[in-house]
Amino acid sequence: MQMLCQIDTPDYASWKTAFDDDYEERMQAGLSQLQIWRDADHGSTVLVLFEVNDRKRAEAWIAKEQGFGGAMTCTFLETV
């Protein structure tokens, strides 16, 4: 299963630093980063694709991240 997260950030550089620092927590949540995209026109929207090894832990990670107040939406995806 994969998960696609859209994050809206006014400061990509600061977001990326914090995201990189959160690596260990994502691993503990059963998430492996597959790809990151950035909006080519505005740069304020970031999409991150993860491989999900444990949906319940991934959902807990999402709740924690959304608790910081940033705009983030995530969708779980499966290959059909």
Side-chain angles (χ1 to χ4, degrees):
M1 174 179 298
Q2 288 81 38
M3 176 175 72
L4 183 64
C5 294
Q6 178 175 325
I7 300 121
D8 295 320
T9 178
D11 182 354
Y12 174 79
S14 294
W15 172 85
K16 182 68 166 89
T17 298
F19 181 81
D20 290 345
D21 290 345
D22 194 41
Y23 172 80
E24 195 66 36
E25 285 193 44
R26 289 192 307 276
M27 292 299 292
Q28 291 175 2
L31 298 171
S32 301
Q33 174 191 321
L34 299 174
Q35 186 71 43
I36 296 178
W37 296 277
R38 185 174 172 198
D39 182 325
D41 293 325
H42 306 288
S44 62
T45 301
V46 178
L47 297 169
V48 184
L49 180 64
F50 295 101
E51 182 70 32
V52 177
N53 296 318
D54 184 316
R55 183 170 178 157
K56 287 188 186 271
R57 287 191 297 163
E59 289 170 341
W61 178 83
I62 293 167
K64 179 188 74 76
E65 291 296 309
Q66 289 174 331
F68 292 127
M72 181 176 87
T73 57
C74 297
T75 303
F76 290 93
L77 306 167
E78 58 184 38
T79 303
V80 294

